[in-house]
Amino acid sequence: GQNIDQPTEMTATEGAIVQINCTYQTSGFNGLFWYQQHAGEAPTFLSYNVLDGLEEKGRFSSFLSRSKGYSYLLLKELQMKDSASYLCAAAPGGATNKLIFGTGTLLAVQP
Amino acid sequence: DGGITQSPKYLFRKEGQNVTLSCEQNLNHDAMYWYRQDPGQGLRLIYYSQIVNDFQKGDIAEGYSVSREKKESFPLTVTSAQKNPTAFYLCASSIEGRTGNNEQFFGPGTRLTVL
């Protein structure tokens, strides 16, 4: 089967660093996405990893290990506006561009 | 501005009525997708279309129907056969439907409440 696992909720303090983990099992693999979603709004693209290693983009970084089926999203210098759900999504590839989404991690940033 | 639009933002219907949710994109994307989002369950794929005049069932297609007569439009009908239709519905699109660029862009969503 195909499965994405990520923690349901996390809490962190403004200015700190937080790491959100995601493990995946898919029939094939054509990359892993992270999206940010504020309550009642559309998910917005944060990062895409298809090769092993760390991709850094400002305060956000994303890591992928294909052999371990593992990714994480690292958020530095947390701000209150970072309070949102973070969705991990794997692309199984094959004949379609469907994505398999995890349940999302709800991050609460406290002052 | 290019993007995906969904209308309306909020929709109320009586139980037993069919309702159609609109999704339009002017990004010239081949593929379009419909997801349902419930609290604590993430995004679940209802239907997807890789190219105009073609569509396939996703993981939870029962009680829903779609059409893809134009590249820009992918309306979703929630029928009376859908047992729990109250949810947040998200439409998305990607440049290609089969291989290559698979990043999905999302519309603002429609929150459907069935009374």
Side-chain angles (χ1 to χ4, degrees), chain A residues 8 30-31 33 35 37 39-45 48 87 91 93-104, chain B residues 9 33 35 37 40-43 45 48 50 88 90 94 96-108 111:
Chain A
T8 305
N30 193 29
F33 291 87
Y35 284 86
Q37 185 181 26
E41 297 183 8
T44 55
F45 171 82
Y48 172 65
L87 310 179
T96 77
N97 275 344
K98 290 192 295 182
L99 297 180
I100 310 297
F101 283 85
T103 57
Chain B
K9 179 79 172 169
Y33 311 82
Y35 294 93
Q37 188 173 34
Q41 293 204 41
L43 273 65
L45 184 65
Y48 65 101
Q50 294 174 287
F88 187 47
L90 284 160
S94 62
E96 296 174 4
R98 299 184 192 277
T99 59
N101 193 328
N102 49 16
E103 179 185 346
Q104 292 186 13
F105 298 79
F106 287 86
R111 186 166 296 280

Side-chain angles (χ1 to χ4, degrees), chain A residues 69-87:
Chain A
Y70 168 69
S71 174
Y72 68 73
L73 180 68
L74 193 71
L75 292 75
K76 302 176 187 174
E77 301 170 15
L78 280 172
Q79 301 175 9
M80 298 299 290
K81 67 179 182 179
D82 297 329
S83 293
S85 277
Y86 291 85
L87 310 179

Side-chain angles (χ1 to χ4, degrees), chain B residues 1-72:
Chain B
D1 285 331
I4 303 176
T5 57
Q6 292 183 244
S7 60
K9 179 79 172 169
Y10 299 95
L11 189 55
F12 296 88
R13 278 294 181 269
K14 291 183 179 179
E15 193 172 346
Q17 289 182 332
N18 290 357
V19 60
T20 297
L21 311 184
S22 165
C23 177
E24 303 279 332
Q25 55 99 359
N26 60 4
L27 299 167
N28 199 33
H29 285 179
D30 281 338
M32 298 185 75
Y33 311 82
W34 272 107
Y35 294 93
R36 170 186 172 133
Q37 188 173 34
D38 297 280
Q41 293 204 41
L43 273 65
R44 292 185 290 167
L45 184 65
I46 304 173
Y47 267 97
Y48 65 101
S49 169
Q50 294 174 287
I51 200 163
V52 66
N53 291 323
D54 181 63
F55 53 83
Q56 285 86 39
K57 293 181 179 179
D59 301 316
I60 55 164
E62 185 176 352
Y64 300 97
S65 66
V66 293
S67 63
R68 187 83 188 279
E69 297 175 2
K70 297 187 298 183
K71 188 175 187 177
E72 305 79 27

